[in-house]
Amino acid sequence: MKNRFVAWLLCLVMLLSVSAVAAAEVNPNQGLGYYPGTSTKGSIAVECSTMSVMNPIKMTYNTELGIARHTQEHLVRLSPVDNQIVPGAAESWTSSPDGLTWTFNLRKDMKWVNSKGEVVGDVTAHDYVFGWRELLNPANAAEYYAYAAVFKNGQAYYDYASGVPGAPEVSIEDVAIKAVDDYTLVCELENVLPYFLQYVKFEVMAPIYEPFYTEVGADVYGTSPDTMLYCGPFYMSDWVLENKITTPKNEHWYDAANVSLGQIEWIKYTDTNAKMNAFQGGEVDLIDVTGEQREMFAAEGFTVSNYVGGYSFYLYCAIDNDRDISNLNLRKAISYALDREQLINTVFKNDSEPSPTFALGIAGVNTETFSEAVLAANGGERLYPANSDEAKAQEYFAKALEELGKTADQIDITFMVSEGTQNELYNQVMQEQLRKVLGIEAKIEVLTITEARARRNAHDYDLFAGGWGPDYNDPMTDLDLWTTTNGNNHTGYSSKKYDALIELAKVETDMVEREQIFVKCEKLIAEDMPIIPIYWRHEDYVVSEKMAEGYARLPFQSYNLIYTKLAE
């Protein structure tokens, strides 16, 4: 077993290296004088698409997780230089020969601060134990609870506490995470995880200071700057709901001497033109840009940066209700009717790719990417077409109409859309493609991201365009989403066969065999279609000339601005 575990660790090093880059970025436009950026000295402003949840254990959206990356300290971090694991709250760590027991030795100079930057207490191992227990607490309905379920007895406790029929009694104290003393944390895993260190760097694995949490209450914690505490390089001082969050530098962070930024403002934009105008007017320093905007910058001689964060975008399908979308043949008809390439060219006008498989950004065992292994196992054929296949779409549609006992004009489908100009156009193009190929008159319902999140979580929708980026470099990060009990499975999909495959992958130590299990999972998703994969996102962005260097946008940490240096 020891030799197998060493092999797994070597494979992890290889996986991490796939996503590495040579260095944190240097601004390619510095000194041009085109877009000098915001005027506040020592501060930057960056775009933020979502900011409705700030309690780390309840987060799911990328930019919210990005804020937590800057305001909370996790046991380890990913380097902005090369994407490798580096010490965070833990100065060092060891694992047992079998890879199941991990011991973390914490720094003794970490502090909790409040929304005024004032010290409230010391950060200790007890705070990580409490935070992880709250993540696992069913009362919190954390969509990422499974991150704490990897510990021995974690899932058993969650099942018992959730009232699963027949689940044996397990207490939270039986879950194998213990603070041996104030600065020593020991945890035991249920199964070996080759990517465990990437687990504990993830933002939902944040510590929580129990006395403060108990005082404000679980339901209130994190709903405003003064109802949460911070232990990262920045803290949250102001939050204008659905508008702006302000995070000044935390002078009490252990590495504050190497942080030159005095403040980061996170500003919400839903309109791409408004965002562009804000950048050009010096109101924001970092924004994502559309393909059309990329061409505008290129024409000016202003370099646009880009990266692939591993984000796969798809349509959620609520299949556990009595609506038309619960019909499998209808979902397959929709998938074949969509012209993914046309959609990208019409809406995004950039280098995004039609999804050949679901997972993106994950390394393969004997191939550069896991997706290549899936395609090879499928005879080189895509699981999802790049262009509309009208013959197949109509073939599946005919079956769906017969099963549903309806005519095409009676099919009831609504695209639920979160606000934003690109989101709305994206859904309008799909609406038109379904009208053209299938004769379906689909409706569109535009909601705020907060409303859409709630409706998605309640499975109160037909189709909802969403996306997922990898949290760690292993196919499990994408594929365990669609297990019956995963908190991020908002489709109602429940397959004993699929669940069994994921459980088998958890204990398989032969990496080649394990990858083939995941290949079967990809194929089963395409067969059962709880989601309809659409495109793999390539992201274009610009930074003002105020940001000189040190910022990073990488897989698994889409925003890392901690060590940003400003132009002098």
Side-chain angles (χ1 to χ4, degrees):
M1 180 64 188
K2 182 176 180 180
N3 289 336
R4 283 186 174 183
F5 179 63
V6 170
W8 278 52
L9 290 180
L10 289 174
C11 184
L12 175 59
V13 172
M14 177 195 73
L15 291 174
L16 284 167
S17 298
V18 168
S19 299
V21 295
E25 294 188 52
V26 175
N27 193 333
N29 299 302
Q30 191 174 359
L32 287 181
Y34 292 175
Y35 301 106
T38 53
S39 59
T40 304
K41 187 176 181 180
S43 172
I44 60 171
V46 301
E47 77 155 300
C48 180
S49 59
T50 55
M51 53 176 62
S52 57
V53 175
M54 284 296 113
N55 179 348
I57 65 173
K58 294 186 178 183
M59 287 179 171
T60 60
Y61 279 89
N62 178 41
T63 49
E64 294 171 350
L65 294 166
I67 295 173
R69 189 173 304 123
H70 292 75
T71 59
Q72 303 297 337
E73 188 59 55
H74 301 79
L75 291 180
V76 299
R77 288 181 168 268
L78 290 180
S79 166
V81 175
D82 57 13
N83 227 17
Q84 301 296 306
I85 294 287
V86 295
E91 290 183 306
S92 62
W93 52 87
T94 58
S95 67
S96 59
D98 61 6
L100 290 174
T101 302
W102 290 76
T103 301
F104 295 91
N105 304 302
L106 274 60
R107 302 175 187 275
K108 297 181 181 179
D109 56 350
M110 294 191 300
K111 304 293 181 181
W112 286 108
V113 301
N114 60 20
S115 60
K116 297 178 181 179
E118 301 166 335
V119 174
V120 173
D122 295 329
V123 179
T124 70
H126 303 283
D127 302 327
Y128 289 89
V129 172
F130 183 73
W132 295 355
R133 285 178 172 179
E134 283 301 290
L135 181 63
L136 197 57
N137 184 350
N140 289 320
E143 294 171 59
Y144 270 113
Y145 87 87
Y147 267 66
V150 301
F151 300 114
K152 186 175 182 180
N153 295 324
Q155 186 64 53
Y157 164 74
Y158 188 85
D159 291 344
Y160 173 73
S162 301
V164 173
E169 182 174 354
V170 179
S171 72
I172 189 63
E173 288 76 19
D174 294 325
V175 180
I177 43 178
K178 307 291 181 184
V180 176
D181 55 44
D182 284 350
Y183 300 103
T184 307
L185 176 67
V186 177
C187 49
E188 183 180 354
L189 305 179
E190 195 76 60
N191 301 295
V192 176
L193 294 179
Y195 43 84
F196 179 61
L197 290 177
Q198 287 203 45
Y199 249 57
V200 297
K201 71 83 188 169
F202 192 53
E203 285 68 35
V204 300
M205 299 291 276
I208 295 177
Y209 189 52
E210 184 176 4
F212 182 85
Y213 184 88
T214 302
E215 179 182 347
V216 301
D219 292 338
V220 175
Y221 185 77
T223 57
S224 63
D226 60 352
T227 58
M228 190 163 64
L229 296 182
Y230 315 90
C231 58
F234 298 84
Y235 64 93
M236 187 164 63
S237 63
D238 295 285
W239 179 7
V240 181
L241 291 177
E242 304 296 348
N243 183 284
K244 182 173 69 174
I245 286 176
T246 303
T247 56
K249 175 183 175 180
N250 177 8
E251 298 291 351
H252 300 284
W253 189 52
Y254 62 84
D255 198 31
N258 291 312
V259 176
S260 59
L261 277 181
Q263 181 173 280
I264 303 174
E265 284 194 335
W266 310 81
I267 304 175
K268 181 176 178 179
Y269 293 96
T270 58
D271 184 273
T272 56
N273 292 324
K275 182 169 58 176
M276 178 72 163
N277 292 336
F279 181 82
Q280 292 175 322
E283 299 172 20
V284 64
D285 295 292
L286 187 160
I287 63 168
D288 287 341
V289 297
T290 66
E292 290 178 334
Q293 292 168 347
R294 179 177 70 176
E295 296 305 315
M296 291 171 57
F297 281 115
E300 294 177 341
F302 196 81
T303 300
V304 175
S305 301
N306 63 80
Y307 87 111
V308 179
Y311 284 84
S312 179
F313 282 76
Y314 48 85
L315 291 172
Y316 288 95
C317 305
I319 65 175
D320 61 340
N321 53 40
D322 294 328
R323 301 178 185 181
D324 291 346
I325 198 64
S326 64
N327 183 275
L328 175 59
N329 283 313
L330 177 58
R331 299 196 297 275
K332 290 193 173 183
I334 291 172
S335 180
Y336 279 109
L338 294 175
D339 192 318
R340 294 161 173 82
E341 189 170 18
Q342 181 195 54
L343 191 151
I344 292 168
N345 293 337
T346 303
V347 179
F348 306 110
K349 301 179 181 179
N350 61 11
D351 299 325
S352 294
E353 306 170 59
S355 303
T357 62
F358 164 54
L360 167 66
I362 303 302
V365 176
N366 294 315
T367 55
E368 184 176 351
T369 67
F370 167 65
S371 178
E372 289 175 292
V374 177
L375 295 177
N378 199 44
E381 296 294 321
R382 305 170 61 96
L383 296 183
Y384 311 98
N387 304 107
S388 174
D389 187 329
E390 295 191 15
K392 283 191 175 180
Q394 291 168 1
E395 176 186 344
Y396 282 111
F397 193 47
K399 294 178 182 178
L401 293 178
E402 182 179 354
E403 291 167 352
L404 292 168
K406 292 187 174 185
T407 57
D409 62 324
Q410 293 175 320
I411 293 297
D412 187 8
I413 293 291
T414 299
F415 287 96
M416 184 176 74
V417 184
S418 58
E419 60 186 340
T421 49
Q422 270 204 331
N423 285 346
E424 292 173 41
L425 178 59
Y426 175 32
N427 283 268
Q428 288 164 3
V429 172
M430 290 190 289
Q431 178 190 45
E432 178 57 32
Q433 290 177 347
L434 295 191
R435 178 184 293 119
K436 175 184 175 183
V437 178
L438 302 177
I440 293 176
E441 293 295 333
K443 296 181 284 294
I444 290 179
E445 182 181 15
V446 181
L447 304 172
T448 67
I449 189 64
T450 302
E451 293 170 326
R453 186 204 302 255
R455 288 269 300 276
R456 179 203 64 181
N457 292 3
H459 304 185
D460 183 15
Y461 68 95
D462 293 322
L463 296 168
F464 176 58
W468 185 262
D471 301 322
Y472 50 92
N473 203 341
D474 186 89
M476 188 70 80
T477 190
D478 289 322
L479 297 176
D480 73 347
L481 285 176
W482 314 119
T483 55
T484 300
T485 60
N486 191 288
N488 285 296
N489 180 358
H490 304 298
T491 67
Y493 179 59
S494 178
S495 164
K496 291 181 179 179
K497 182 178 179 181
Y498 192 90
D499 292 349
L501 286 171
I502 292 297
E503 289 304 311
L504 185 60
K506 289 179 180 179
V507 297
E508 178 57 68
T509 57
D510 183 296
M511 295 299 285
V512 174
E513 291 297 322
R514 183 172 180 270
E515 182 176 69
Q516 288 306 305
I517 295 171
F518 287 132
V519 167
K520 292 178 182 177
C521 289
E522 276 269 12
K523 288 185 174 182
L524 193 53
I525 291 171
E527 181 181 328
D528 293 345
M529 203 159 279
I531 59 169
I532 302 175
I534 305 295
Y535 72 98
W536 288 347
R537 185 171 72 183
H538 290 228
E539 299 183 62
D540 294 317
Y541 65 97
V542 291
V543 296
S544 74
E545 294 161 61
K546 183 177 185 178
M547 296 172 61
E549 61 180 315
Y551 56 91
R553 301 200 70 181
L554 298 168
F556 319 116
Q557 48 170 346
S558 59
Y559 289 92
N560 190 332
L561 309 173
I562 297 168
Y563 295 106
T564 298
K565 296 186 183 302
L566 303 181
E568 296 180 356

